[in-house]
Amino acid sequence: MGAGRLYVAVAAGGFRRYATYRAATAAGVFTNTVFGLILVSTYRALWDERPHLGGYDQGQAVTYVWLGQAFLSTLAIGGGGAEEELMERIRTGDVAVDLYRPVDLQAWWLAADLGRAFFQLLGRGLVPFAFGALCFPARLPADAGTWAAFAVAVVLAMLVGFGIRFLVALSAFWLLDGAGVSQVMWLAGYFCSGMLLPLNVFPGVLGEVVRVLPWSALLQAPADVLLGRADPLGTYLFQGAWAVVLLGAGRLLQSVAARRVVVQGG
Amino acid sequence: MAERGAPAEGGRLAEGVRAYRLVAGMWIRSTMAYRVSFAMTTFGNFAATFFDFVAVLLMFSHVEALGGYALPEVAFLYGLSAVSFGLADLVIGSMDRLGRRVRDGTLDTLLVRPAPVLAQVAADRFALRRLGRVTQGTLVLGWSLGRLDVDWSPLKLLLMPVMVASGFGIFCAVFVAGAAFQFVTQDASEVQNAFTYGGTTLLQYPPTVFAKELVRGVTFVLPLAFVNWLPAGYVLGRPYPLGLPGWVAFTSPLVAVVCCALAGLAWRAGLRSYRSTGS
């Protein structure tokens, strides 16, 4: 089997695996919709007081909320993607088996995580987003070009998201218990990706800092492409640069870890 | 423990509390074996909820009022909701693991033990680190009390602990009802999050922010509004959007008792319907 076909098969496996849990998916859709309702209400109260806050109008703010709910599990912004299983495998020592396989560790887990992300986008993201767009005055672009540009930004966001989480998972080689790092990632993910509040609403230096951090490539960047607030090429460059840096760091760390791996148990 | 046996005259409640204390105590001892890890995760819990409040602060860096409520008033609502929910989460927050226990069959272990199942499930993986959320809520509440412009009367002061206790009861009922629901759905534990975490997030903002239907829903269907919106409205001297009579602000304890009774019935029905996986 060619390497390309192998990784496609791994990704398809990741997709199918998550597709198995229908009740869990339905529960997730319900929860994302409820949280979307709460957030939309608070955002609308905020934008009622300050129209055009952060350069968004009401419709754009509403759209942003539902994008966030669609991306939360797709990009595993607070964790909960393939890295959780990898971490567990590192802790138990099962990762030794992965390292023996004639495939690349990072590429294997990237493929699995992409499969998962695409399923979550279709299974958990689409319904809350459609609900939000239909029931609230959302602002969606009419031209196919913007949607296509948005789709590319979403795929790049998936790469950046995995890049961050792969590094988090590898930390388990040194720390064994990844709970602390996971928690920090969860916090950073929520706060710095703009899940709590769009990053362009963050004041002053804080706003400038969070907008250059990799997490802004997850939600803020694709959202601004869809809302017509950012130039797609510049956004791709930003997301792509972070993807290269993070995945490169992951490669480096992986080779160091593979050399010093201590297999637990026996 | 064995020589004492089951107390014949002691009620189920006393038995449940005792079982709960034993299981929770075991989990505390096991957590305390790794003190640094405990300190870190408690701080993490504190920080996680703290960022919620930072989002509120960021909002107020742009506006004077949200839904007509000033920052100290929103902080008051936030603190009350966070403390009530935090306590319920601390005491029985592990109930959402029930679905997993049903799936993998480990619930059977609890069924054969001579102690009430509800107490065992509630104390399962008791996590003292959840004090982080309670602490954060208490700090925000304390901060708001120092800044609120309220004419304190004995009645309003009395209402404070009543609110927290009733809110705790109502959220506990939601946790138990959610767990009972998992006997049926098994892998849909996330639905519970919509009502627990979603509920507390909702209550952290003023009722005037939300659509009338949503406010009606959390007042008459799932009475979360009795945790803080209604009693706090009395303390703050704010009319409730649905125009309910003033005395409703004092009915929270009653609502909490009714909720707990209903949740208890749901739990019983769920437990009776349980069929082991047999694995």
Side-chain angles (χ1 to χ4, degrees), chain A residues 23 31 50 124 186-187 191 201, chain B residues 48 51 62 65 187 190 198 209-210:
Chain A
T31 306
R50 283 284 307 270
R124 275 186 69 160
W186 187 82
L187 284 179
F191 193 70
V201 171
Chain B
F51 274 110
H62 295 284
D187 63 340
E190 225 177 316
V209 161
F210 300 97

Side-chain angles (χ1 to χ4, degrees), chain A residues 179-243:
Chain A
V181 188
S182 292
Q183 200 163 37
V184 172
M185 178 185 72
W186 187 82
L187 284 179
Y190 264 80
F191 193 70
C192 301
S193 71
M195 273 307 295
L196 289 173
L197 210 59
L199 299 181
N200 47 18
V201 171
F202 283 41
V205 186
L206 179 65
E208 281 163 38
V209 171
V210 288
R211 278 192 291 272
V212 296
L213 293 177
W215 290 280
S216 77
L218 299 182
L219 171 57
Q220 190 70 47
D224 279 341
V225 170
L226 186 74
L227 297 172
R229 291 245 319 142
D231 156 51
L233 284 180
T235 306
Y236 298 163
L237 220 60
F238 174 75
Q239 290 179 298
W242 268 121

